[in-house]
Amino acid sequence: MMSVTEQPCYTLISTPDSDYPPPDQLRKELEIGDIKAKIDALKKAIYIILNGEKIPGILMAVVKFVLPLQDHNVKKLLLIFWEIIPKTSPDGKLLHEMILVCDAYRRDLQHPNEFIRGSTLRFLCKLKEPEILEPLMPSIRSCLEHRHSYVRRNAVLAIYTIYRNFDFLIPDGPELIANFLEREQDMSCKRNAFMMLIHADQERALSYLTSCIDQVHSFGDILQLVIVELIYKVCHANPSERSRFIRCIYSLLNATTAATCYIEIILKESDNNVKLIVLDRLIALKEQPNQERVMQELVMDILRVLATPDLEVRKKTLSLILDLVSSRNIEDIVLVLKKEVTKTHNTTEHEDTGKYRQLLVRTLHSCCIKFPDISATVIPVLTEFLSDTNELAAADVLVFVREAIQKFEGLRPLIIEKLLEAFLSIKSVKVHRAAIWILGEYATSADDIRSVMSKVRQSLGEIPIVDDEIRKAAGEQTDAENPLAQGTGSVTNPAAPSARLVTADGTYATQSIFSAAVTTTKKEERPPLRKYLMEGDFFIGASMATTLTKLALRFVQQVSNLQTQNQFCAEAMLVIAAILHLGRSGLPQKPISNDDAERLGLCLKVLSDRSPILVEVFTDACRRSISLMLAAKAEEEAAAQKNLEKNNRSVQADDLVSFKQLLSRNELGGLEDVFESSLSQALVGSAQRTGLDLSVSKLNKVTQLTGFSDPVYAEAYVNVNQYDIVLDVLIVNQTADTLQNCTLELATLGDLKLVEKPSAIILAPHDFANIKASVKVASTENGIIFGNIVYDVTGSTSDRNVVVLNDIHIDIMDYIMPASCTDAEFRQMWADFEWENKVTVNTNINDLNLYLQHLLKSTNMKCLTPEKALAGDCGFMAANLYARSVFGEDALANLSLEKPFGKPDAPVTGHIRIRAKSQGMALSLGDKINTIQKASVKPPVA
């Protein structure tokens, strides 16, 4: 019985189901066959021996006819054959044939081919017979000096294994390896040698580490890990030795970190999906307090990722950079970001170029708010983009300028100067309107006020506007009518303010130029502000009137000369009156609205009366309002950041405090490997306390594929990863027959793709097996996986049997994540997205907020509408929802709910409008909402 239990564990090889030839035929093939026939015969012999059967005379046949061959495939098979063949007689003595085999080993250890030497050395690690190993020791020692590292590395492993099992064969093993370690240069060889010294002679390992402790930072990763293991073991056994290794640990901390490896992967890998996954790893690494300082030093390397043209990668990179910014690296970061902004200005405009420029502007904005000292260098660069054709980027610049000019008084002269320089080149009416407001609010000195008025007059052109437009229109119309007049015989007067035409009956028809829109044959270049007004946008006219009123009232306070005061106020009133006259003249494409006309009239009255109350409103109250708005915004951001930090580092008040010095020996885990447990916790994280919850969540994802009465029962656990789905299918044979070629055949519907076809298996009676299949996901769309199980019954002559499987529906919620965006971005995406799905609210929930919370929880969307706007009970609710998929797809939803007044038990009614860039996203999200809103939700107990 002892001989059976002490048998070594052999290599496991899958045995095919086929008939084997008799021993005589096998020996004959080994004797007279060619190399291919001998390889096949040797494989069959290995299969037979692994099945526990004996082949008489096979050992000598292999020694005589196969062992002398030099074919590499034969060499590989012989190593397996020598491993599994019994090497001793029943009485425990070594077989005589093994002497010849031992000689073959010795020749292979001296073979010129390094692969044969190395594979033979690895094979010797598996031998348990010291009689075979003893004559081979000189050859094994000589392999330590081989030119190839593969041979030396395996020679160290062989010596380590032999010393551990039979130390009398090589009593000077630690000394031999210590000398080898001193002269070795290859890191893998040094790692194996150092590992042997740790377990065989720890003092020699410590001596070597002491001799090269200054070079530890230059060692390879595999050797550094072994050094860390040695230091941990020594310090754990003898804590007084800690001071001895402080310098070494410091060197290791400054060595190449995991973050550096991640950054190199991002830069070298071309697949954007890989870049995004590795960036997620970096973000998770940044959350660890001990890694944040290391990553701040690598921030310039992370900035190199911005060279990737993909917008999602750039967005995630800038978000990571913003979290890592500090006073030490802010100047370098801003310098790189300014260069990136300049690149986008000089390159050809692309769909993502404007969005990337917008991301850069926002990142610089956040950096300047955190570190005001660098604002003076950033503002001149950003104001150049006020003339950009991308309205969103220019608007973000103005948002930054507005906050900077309010918070940093020392920068106000610089900002006003740069705004005035860029004022005439602005191309967007919204940007112009915001720039006018900023100039009117923060231009306080008399010189700045005069400069703003001068720029406004230049942007409006000659005043009065109506007379100037009439003169231009009349002149152009005359030039255009001359050829027409020659052909019809009509008479025109260039100076007349009317156009006379000949009717069908020969009489003249006169039309006033004030009652008809002017049509010109050639395009005239108007100043920017006049162009907006002629297009019918008088909202900027109202903003301009408010700005001019503020400037005039401040100018009156700054200048003491009454004549100068009246002159400036008269000029401001002239401009406002000209705008009002133009709006009512009929010349613009659209007439002025009543609201805008009322605002213009109010500004004229304020300038003429100069009431103290209204003066205080225009000069001071507006400034207080913007201050309160920015302060409230800063408080909200600080509260959100505080909540985030609180969630990340939450510690319960009743959590146990563990003091290591007070633990007993059993609590310290004396029977387990403390290093391994600590290392696993460092890599994976703290021990999972929610194991039960995890198992329950797994059970929720198990889908039954067949019925309990089917001959084959199957169920699948659907494991959804970021970009693929892994199906772990359990197949149970419920019959008394052996199922041959049992195959799981799958097909997909939607943007799903089966990676590889599962291989066929054999199921014994009442046996079970697990089959895994991977499915790639291309987009966020409801997908279906369907298929069947096909099998043959042993001995049956009928056709193959088929069991049809239930469909597996892939939930869209596994790919949708809550996200946030600004109101401007939401409106822009709402206008751009062409696919809309309108869902009618059909639920038994009778509370507006409860329905909203139920919808958010079920769809993984985030409510962008502030809680203050949703507070109260007014009988209706409007909210904007937003989410993003892992594939970068955006999903927007607008919620419009109402509840009948006076009916507290009536259900919520209304509509949900969903918009997405792709049809599948809009339809899938609509189907999900239709499914979940019918579920009953109990209101919270008060």
Side-chain angles (χ1 to χ4, degrees):
M1 189 66 183
M2 289 296 294
S3 61
V4 176
T5 57
E6 291 179 358
Q7 286 289 329
C9 181
Y10 297 130
T11 303
L12 299 178
I13 300 175
S14 176
T15 306
D17 295 326
S18 59
D19 297 331
Y20 299 114
D24 294 338
Q25 182 181 347
L26 203 59
R27 287 195 299 270
K28 186 176 180 181
E29 291 178 358
L30 291 174
E31 291 177 8
I32 62 176
D34 56 3
I35 291 181
K36 185 176 181 181
K38 290 183 178 182
I39 290 175
D40 292 338
L42 191 57
K43 287 182 179 179
K44 293 175 182 176
I46 292 173
Y47 289 142
I48 294 173
I49 296 173
L50 283 175
N51 286 334
E53 301 179 12
K54 295 182 179 180
I55 308 176
I58 190 66
L59 186 57
M60 283 306 300
V62 172
V63 170
K64 292 170 63 176
F65 303 106
V66 182
L67 195 58
L69 298 178
Q70 297 298 318
D71 185 78
H72 283 193
N73 290 327
V74 174
K75 293 285 187 184
K76 293 178 184 178
L77 291 173
L78 280 175
L79 293 178
I80 300 174
F81 180 80
W82 299 131
E83 182 182 350
I84 66 175
I85 195 73
K87 305 172 186 63
T88 57
S89 58
D91 57 357
K93 294 185 179 180
L94 192 68
L95 295 176
H96 297 293
E97 293 88 345
M98 296 309 297
I99 298 175
L100 300 174
V101 177
C102 184
D103 185 63
Y105 292 158
R106 184 183 55 80
R107 290 197 301 270
D108 285 345
L109 289 175
Q110 299 173 354
H111 199 280
N113 186 283
E114 60 271 6
F115 172 75
I116 293 178
R117 280 203 188 195
S119 57
T120 305
L121 287 165
R122 290 186 67 86
F123 161 72
L124 293 179
C125 297
K126 304 175 183 179
L127 290 182
K128 304 298 181 183
E129 292 79 17
E131 297 88 350
I132 300 176
L133 294 170
E134 185 175 7
L136 301 177
M137 294 310 300
S139 300
I140 295 174
R141 286 172 174 264
S142 64
C143 288
L144 288 174
E145 300 178 358
H146 193 270
R147 59 180 177 80
H148 203 282
S149 60
Y150 178 72
V151 178
R152 301 195 303 272
R153 180 167 68 243
N154 288 297
V156 174
L157 283 179
I159 292 175
Y160 172 39
T161 307
I162 294 171
Y163 180 81
R164 185 178 58 188
N165 296 328
F166 316 105
D167 55 350
F168 58 88
L169 293 179
I170 182 168
D172 61 338
E175 182 181 358
L176 178 67
I177 295 301
N179 295 332
F180 168 80
L181 189 59
E182 293 289 344
R183 65 177 184 271
E184 181 57 46
Q185 299 298 324
D186 183 75
M187 286 300 162
S188 60
C189 298
K190 296 178 76 170
R191 182 259 180 199
N192 290 352
F194 195 76
M195 178 66 75
M196 175 184 171
L197 291 181
I198 290 176
H199 294 90
D201 193 345
Q202 191 168 306
E203 288 300 325
R204 290 184 184 271
L206 289 173
S207 176
Y208 172 75
L209 179 59
T210 304
S211 64
C212 61
I213 199 167
D214 294 330
Q215 289 86 30
V216 169
H217 66 278
S218 62
F219 291 165
D221 295 345
I222 53 176
L223 183 55
Q224 288 179 349
L225 288 174
V226 181
I227 291 175
V228 170
E229 181 178 352
L230 172 64
I231 295 174
Y232 189 92
K233 287 187 174 183
V234 172
C235 294
H236 189 266
N238 188 6
S240 62
E241 294 283 338
R242 292 176 181 174
S243 59
R244 180 179 177 184
F245 302 104
I246 288 179
R247 186 170 60 176
C248 180
I249 294 297
Y250 182 76
S251 300
L252 290 173
L253 288 175
N254 291 331
T256 303
T257 60
T260 307
C261 298
Y262 283 147
I263 295 170
E264 291 178 358
I265 293 174
I266 297 174
L267 296 175
K268 293 178 181 179
E269 185 61 45
S270 58
D271 190 356
N272 289 330
N273 291 334
V274 176
K275 292 178 183 288
L276 291 172
I277 292 172
V278 178
L279 278 171
D280 288 335
R281 295 285 192 276
L282 279 175
I283 293 172
L285 198 64
K286 182 260 302 178
E287 298 298 331
Q288 302 178 12
N290 57 339
Q291 292 290 334
E292 186 174 3
R293 181 71 176 270
V294 177
M295 293 188 64
Q296 286 178 353
E297 297 177 356
L298 299 173
V299 70
M300 298 306 295
D301 294 326
I302 299 176
L303 282 170
R304 294 164 57 195
V305 183
L306 293 177
T308 304
D310 185 72
L311 184 63
E312 288 299 320
V313 176
R314 286 172 163 176
K315 184 176 182 180
K316 194 163 286 190
T317 304
L318 289 174
S319 176
L320 177 61
I321 291 296
L322 199 55
D323 292 336
L324 296 175
V325 66
S326 65
S327 58
R328 294 179 300 167
N329 54 28
I330 180 62
E331 293 183 0
D332 296 331
I333 291 176
V334 169
L335 186 62
V336 174
L337 294 179
K338 285 163 57 178
K339 290 181 179 179
E340 288 293 321
V341 169
T342 307
K343 288 180 185 177
T344 61
H345 193 59
N346 297 330
T347 55
T348 306
E349 191 70 23
H350 187 263
E351 181 182 359
D352 291 339
T353 304
K355 295 180 180 179
Y356 178 48
R357 188 182 303 138
Q358 190 177 359
L359 290 175
L360 291 172
V361 169
R362 291 182 179 177
T363 306
L364 285 171
H365 177 186
S366 301
C367 291
C368 292
I369 297 303
K370 286 183 178 180
F371 302 95
D373 295 340
I374 52 100
S375 300
T377 60
V378 173
I379 289 172
V381 178
L382 294 185
T383 49
E384 295 179 3
F385 291 94
L386 292 176
S387 59
D388 191 40
T389 54
N390 184 7
E391 183 179 298
L392 294 177
D396 282 337
V397 171
L398 279 178
V399 169
F400 162 61
V401 168
R402 182 188 66 185
E403 189 169 357
I405 201 172
Q406 170 65 23
K407 289 187 175 182
F408 315 131
E409 295 186 8
L411 296 176
R412 288 180 183 177
L414 174 64
I415 295 175
I416 292 175
E417 178 187 352
K418 295 299 179 182
L419 276 180
L420 290 173
E421 290 178 1
F423 190 80
L424 296 177
S425 60
I426 297 176
K427 299 180 177 63
S428 171
V429 60
K430 293 182 180 179
V431 178
H432 241 134
R433 190 169 65 234
I436 288 174
W437 184 91
I438 292 174
L439 289 173
E441 188 64 40
Y442 295 99
T444 55
S445 66
D447 293 337
D448 289 342
I449 293 173
R450 287 193 179 97
S451 301
V452 174
M453 176 62 80
S454 174
K455 292 295 182 183
V456 170
R457 292 292 300 268
Q458 290 181 39
S459 299
L460 283 174
E462 189 176 347
I463 293 178
I465 302 175
V466 173
D467 296 343
D468 186 51
E469 286 293 324
I470 290 175
R471 284 194 297 269
K472 290 182 179 179
E476 290 179 6
Q477 194 171 7
T478 301
D479 295 338
E481 284 176 355
N482 282 335
L484 179 65
Q486 293 174 5
T488 59
S490 60
V491 180
T492 60
N493 185 5
S498 63
R500 295 194 298 175
L501 302 176
V502 180
T503 60
D505 58 355
T507 60
Y508 288 106
T510 304
Q511 186 178 24
S512 174
I513 199 168
F514 292 104
S515 62
V518 180
T519 57
T520 57
T521 57
K522 58 182 179 179
K523 185 82 172 177
E524 73 250 24
E525 275 300 325
R526 293 189 176 99
L529 292 181
R530 180 181 291 193
K531 178 182 176 183
Y532 306 144
L533 296 175
M534 292 300 295
E535 291 174 354
D537 190 347
F538 281 91
F539 185 39
I540 191 172
S543 300
M544 201 185 317
T546 304
T547 297
L548 292 177
T549 304
K550 290 180 183 179
L551 294 175
L553 294 176
R554 287 201 185 96
F555 189 82
V556 170
Q557 295 174 355
Q558 294 286 332
V559 178
S560 58
N561 189 338
L562 185 61
Q563 182 179 358
T564 308
Q565 293 178 3
N566 293 334
Q567 184 179 358
F568 190 88
C569 290
E571 185 179 3
M573 295 175 71
L574 175 62
V575 173
I576 297 172
I579 297 173
L580 183 60
H581 186 200
L582 176 65
R584 294 174 174 172
S585 66
L587 292 177
Q589 296 178 5
K590 299 178 184 178
I592 188 172
S593 65
N594 292 332
D595 291 340
D596 295 334
E598 186 177 350
R599 171 53 66 97
L600 291 170
L602 174 65
C603 292
L604 288 174
K605 185 171 179 59
V606 169
L607 287 176
S608 61
D609 295 347
R610 300 179 195 174
S611 170
I613 297 178
L614 292 178
V615 170
E616 195 273 337
V617 169
F618 273 83
T619 56
D620 298 329
C622 294
R623 183 76 57 87
R624 290 197 300 269
S625 299
I626 187 66
S627 301
L628 292 174
M629 188 194 78
L630 293 177
K633 181 180 177 183
E635 288 179 2
E636 290 180 0
E637 294 177 352
Q641 184 67 25
K642 187 176 181 180
N643 291 334
L644 183 63
E645 294 178 356
K646 184 178 179 181
N647 292 334
N648 289 339
R649 302 177 183 178
S650 59
V651 178
Q652 298 299 326
D654 56 349
D655 282 352
L656 295 177
V657 180
S658 178
F659 295 95
K660 188 174 180 180
Q661 292 82 358
L662 303 179
L663 294 178
S664 65
R665 183 173 181 83
N666 291 332
E667 288 175 312
L668 277 171
L671 297 179
E672 67 177 355
D673 191 343
V674 182
F675 174 76
E676 289 297 329
S677 62
S678 301
L679 184 61
S680 63
Q681 287 189 9
L683 295 176
V684 180
S686 60
Q688 296 290 334
R689 299 182 180 178
T690 58
L692 183 61
D693 297 338
L694 183 63
S695 63
V696 171
S697 66
K698 283 188 175 182
L699 291 176
N700 290 334
K701 295 185 179 181
V702 172
T703 304
Q704 185 176 343
L705 302 179
T706 63
F708 293 110
S709 60
D710 287 325
V712 177
Y713 173 75
E715 64 182 23
Y717 166 62
V718 183
N719 183 18
V720 180
N721 296 323
Q722 193 167 11
Y723 298 105
D724 61 350
I725 301 170
V726 179
L727 298 178
D728 189 355
V729 184
L730 171 66
I731 299 178
V732 182
N733 180 9
Q734 301 193 107
T735 66
D737 300 322
T738 299
L739 306 185
Q740 301 280 353
N741 297 325
C742 185
T743 307
L744 177 65
E745 297 181 349
L746 297 175
T748 59
L749 184 64
D751 283 343
L752 305 176
K753 181 181 178 182
L754 190 65
V755 177
E756 57 183 352
K757 184 179 179 181
S759 58
I761 60 173
I762 299 175
L763 281 178
H766 304 290
D767 194 8
F768 65 90
N770 285 78
I771 298 178
K772 289 188 178 182
S774 297
V775 179
K776 286 290 182 183
V777 186
S779 67
T780 309
E781 185 176 348
N782 283 336
I784 300 175
I785 302 175
F786 58 93
N788 47 53
I789 297 176
V790 183
Y791 61 91
D792 296 328
V793 179
T794 305
S796 176
T797 58
S798 61
D799 294 335
R800 304 193 72 185
N801 298 278
V802 179
V803 178
V804 180
L805 305 178
N806 292 331
D807 296 342
I808 301 175
H809 294 266
I810 304 303
D811 193 358
I812 185 179
M813 292 301 104
D814 292 325
Y815 301 100
I816 292 182
M817 304 296 173
S820 60
C821 65
T822 63
D823 292 340
E825 290 174 339
F826 186 91
R827 288 192 292 268
Q828 184 68 33
M829 288 188 289
W830 189 268
D832 293 342
F833 292 169
E834 55 184 1
W835 292 102
E836 179 174 319
N837 188 7
K838 188 175 183 180
V839 180
T840 302
V841 175
N842 182 15
T843 180
N844 57 358
I845 302 175
N846 55 13
D847 185 80
L848 297 174
N849 284 303
L850 185 62
Y851 181 82
L852 175 62
Q853 296 303 322
H854 175 60
L855 192 68
L856 295 176
K857 181 179 179 181
S858 304
T859 59
N860 288 347
M861 301 190 80
K862 182 177 180 180
C863 182
L864 300 180
T865 307
E867 293 184 4
K868 296 179 181 178
L870 300 175
D873 187 10
C874 59
F876 64 90
M877 175 185 289
N880 292 332
L881 312 182
Y882 178 60
R884 281 178 66 86
S885 71
V886 296
F887 308 101
E889 299 171 312
D890 299 297
L892 312 176
N894 176 256
L895 189 68
S896 299
L897 304 177
E898 64 176 341
K899 185 179 177 182
F901 182 75
K903 298 180 179 179
D905 296 331
V908 173
T909 60
H911 294 87
I912 302 172
R913 297 170 62 195
I914 304 166
R915 286 201 181 184
K917 199 171 186 178
S918 62
Q919 182 184 18
M921 182 79 164
L923 293 177
S924 301
L925 196 56
D927 294 341
K928 181 66 178 178
I929 292 177
N930 275 325
T931 303
I932 59 98
Q933 70 174 345
K934 297 177 182 178
S936 60
V937 179
K938 295 182 180 180
V941 179

